[in-house]
Amino acid sequence: MIPATGFPVERFTLPNGLRVVLTPDRSAPVIAVGVVYDVGIRSEPQGRTGFAHLFEHLMFQGSENLEKLAHFRYVQASGGVFNGSTHLDYTDYYETLPSNALERALFLEADRMRRPELTAENLANQIAVVKEEIRVNVKNRPYGGFPWLLLPPVMFDTFANSHDGYGSFEDLESATVEDAQSFFSTYYAPGNAVLAVGGDLDVAGATALIERHFGDVAERPVPVRPSFAEPDLTSERRAVHHDAMAPLPAVAMAWRVPDPVNDLAAYLPYVVLAEVLTDGDASRLQERLVLNDAIATSVSGYLGFMGDPFDVRDPTALLLQAHYPPTVETDKVITAIDQEIERLAGSGLAPGELSRVQARLAAHLLREVDAVLGRTLSIAVLEQQRGRAELINDLPHLLAEVTAEQVVAAAQTLRPARRAVLELVPGSAQ
């Protein structure tokens, strides 16, 4: 029996187009505030790779009524924490604070929605910060960008889906204040955002505060989100990446899956399938590759290149990856993966296998939304992408309704001709 959640959702829209969702929980004196903007890595123009992430940094460099670093000081002085993150399809900004600091958090978010401080000094400073982040997380790190930055250009053809979301140094260095102002004007309109507030709040009181602080943010045109659709692969694509810092070789592969927003019922069996194949010691690929054949040191599988199945739009993919000893041939690992997928597709699930995986999935989802910040951000993204914040309560049960036949049918689509494969080889290219 999957436990049920009943997180309440209240919603309204301000005259300037800002959508608001509230989820009260009076169990602890803590609140979370999150703003999700409908712009991410896929929205970056050519010649400006990494700009969505760069702009996220700029949003912390002062705003209409706040000097540089004031946002940091006000949140931390209230005993709170804050951050932001850039994803393929959205960018978020958030705080968790004691509930008596709710109005402070709302003022901070409204002030930078109204007008961030976009200056040449701030831009130059944050370009340097982002370049250092790339050095630390990608260029000077074993398996940096593997596979989330390196596999999309193998699988996809369009710039939107295939380019490096961290950005090239050349593109970052050529960014101008005018670019930043245009990006803000286009994508940071209140009508292109969702504000979510969760935790110890009174709905009427919170509504009044939101109207007070966000109500006078000027309405601006909301951009029409283009389609990023691409045809599925009809033949296998392979590429090799050399990593001078990697101690072990690795391989990653990906298959396109149904639209997670507009065809959720067809998408959910792939979420379950990834867990059947890789989650826990009893999973198919862990048991075969790691425990029995000992041809891999680790195996993982997930939906979406950034690893969260329910915060991504189409096109997206199911990914499998494995790290293995240098004495093992890459094709031996790939063959074993293919054999296990074929065995599942042909012979089906073992008794109890599906219910075990569904219970693990439900536990994972419930852990994610147990804390007020995770719950608030999940509600914000679900509302932004689907207009359906209440899905937070439905997902565990929808996954529990996936049948063995649907999982087998999903496995049958994971054919070599539909996949992109990236082999990571330790050492420098010769």
Side-chain angles (χ1 to χ4, degrees), residues 308-328:
D308 190 328
F310 301 114
D311 73 354
V312 68
R313 290 168 164 149
D314 189 63
T316 187
L318 183 152
L319 286 81
L320 299 175
Q321 66 183 76
H323 295 71
Y324 46 95
T327 54
V328 175

Side-chain angles (χ1 to χ4, degrees), residues 54 58 61 68 116-128 172-173 175-181:
L54 172 62
L58 290 173
Q61 301 307 303
K68 189 181 181 76
E117 194 67 16
L118 303 176
T119 66
E121 178 187 359
N122 286 341
L123 179 61
N125 174 268
Q126 291 311 301
I127 288 172
L172 290 168
E173 290 165 354
T176 66
V177 172
E178 291 73 23
D179 292 330
Q181 290 169 338

Side-chain angles (χ1 to χ4, degrees), residues 1 29 51 67-68 86 136 193-194 197 207 222 239 251 275 297 307 327 369 376 414:
M1 183 69 177
F51 202 86
E67 73 276 13
K68 189 181 181 76
T86 306
V136 171
V194 170
V197 183
T207 299
V222 176
V251 65
E275 302 298 304
T297 58
T327 54
V369 301
T376 302
L414 303 191

Side-chain angles (χ1 to χ4, degrees), residues 60-199:
F60 287 94
Q61 301 307 303
S63 53
E64 183 170 78
N65 295 293
L66 295 168
E67 73 276 13
K68 189 181 181 76
L69 303 181
H71 191 113
F72 298 36
R73 292 197 299 272
Y74 280 119
V75 174
Q76 292 171 338
S78 302
V81 295
F82 64 92
N83 212 332
S85 59
T86 306
H87 302 253
L88 289 177
D89 295 305
Y90 69 93
T91 306
D92 61 14
Y93 304 87
Y94 51 88
E95 298 85 14
T96 304
L97 308 100
S99 55
N100 62 359
L102 172 59
E103 184 169 13
R104 175 172 289 192
L106 294 174
F107 166 77
L108 294 172
E109 289 297 346
D111 205 57
R112 61 178 166 188
M113 180 182 286
R114 190 176 291 108
R115 186 178 68 80
E117 194 67 16
L118 303 176
T119 66
E121 178 187 359
N122 286 341
L123 179 61
N125 174 268
Q126 291 311 301
I127 288 172
V129 170
V130 170
K131 287 171 63 179
E132 183 61 22
E133 186 176 333
I134 294 170
R135 292 186 187 100
V136 171
N137 291 339
V138 180
K139 293 182 178 295
N140 297 317
R141 181 178 186 172
Y143 310 105
F146 178 81
W148 77 278
L149 292 177
L150 301 170
L151 190 51
V154 183
M155 168 163 266
F156 296 115
D157 295 321
T158 65
F159 172 81
N161 294 321
S162 64
H163 74 273
D164 180 348
Y166 251 138
S168 70
F169 282 8
E170 180 182 4
D171 283 357
L172 290 168
E173 290 165 354
S174 64
T176 66
V177 172
E178 291 73 23
D179 292 330
Q181 290 169 338
S182 175
F183 196 82
F184 173 74
S185 178
T186 300
Y187 294 110
Y188 278 70
N192 206 40
V194 170
L195 165 67
V197 183

Side-chain angles (χ1 to χ4, degrees), residues 304-424:
F305 288 93
M306 300 182 79
D308 190 328
F310 301 114
D311 73 354
V312 68
R313 290 168 164 149
D314 189 63
T316 187
L318 183 152
L319 286 81
L320 299 175
Q321 66 183 76
H323 295 71
Y324 46 95
T327 54
V328 175
E329 294 290 330
T330 303
D331 282 343
K332 186 173 185 179
V333 176
I334 294 174
T335 297
I337 291 172
D338 286 341
Q339 288 172 348
E340 286 305 306
I341 292 173
E342 290 168 6
R343 184 167 71 89
L344 174 58
S347 303
L349 292 159
E353 188 174 14
L354 179 59
S355 60
R356 172 182 60 81
V357 168
Q358 288 168 324
R360 289 175 68 95
L361 273 169
H364 175 71
L365 288 171
L366 293 169
R367 280 196 301 270
E368 282 190 335
V369 301
D370 183 54
V372 66
L373 178 60
R375 185 186 321 147
T376 302
L377 290 179
S378 292
I379 282 175
V381 175
L382 291 172
E383 186 70 14
Q384 181 237 355
Q385 295 185 350
R386 305 162 188 265
R388 192 180 168 191
E390 293 86 355
L391 193 60
I392 194 171
N393 295 316
D394 300 334
L395 280 172
H397 294 281
L398 291 174
L399 287 165
E401 291 171 0
V402 172
T403 66
E405 291 76 17
Q406 288 175 307
V407 176
V408 169
Q412 290 170 349
T413 70
L414 303 191
R415 303 186 306 274
R418 293 186 59 247
R419 75 182 169 200
V421 179
L422 177 65
E423 178 184 357
L424 184 145

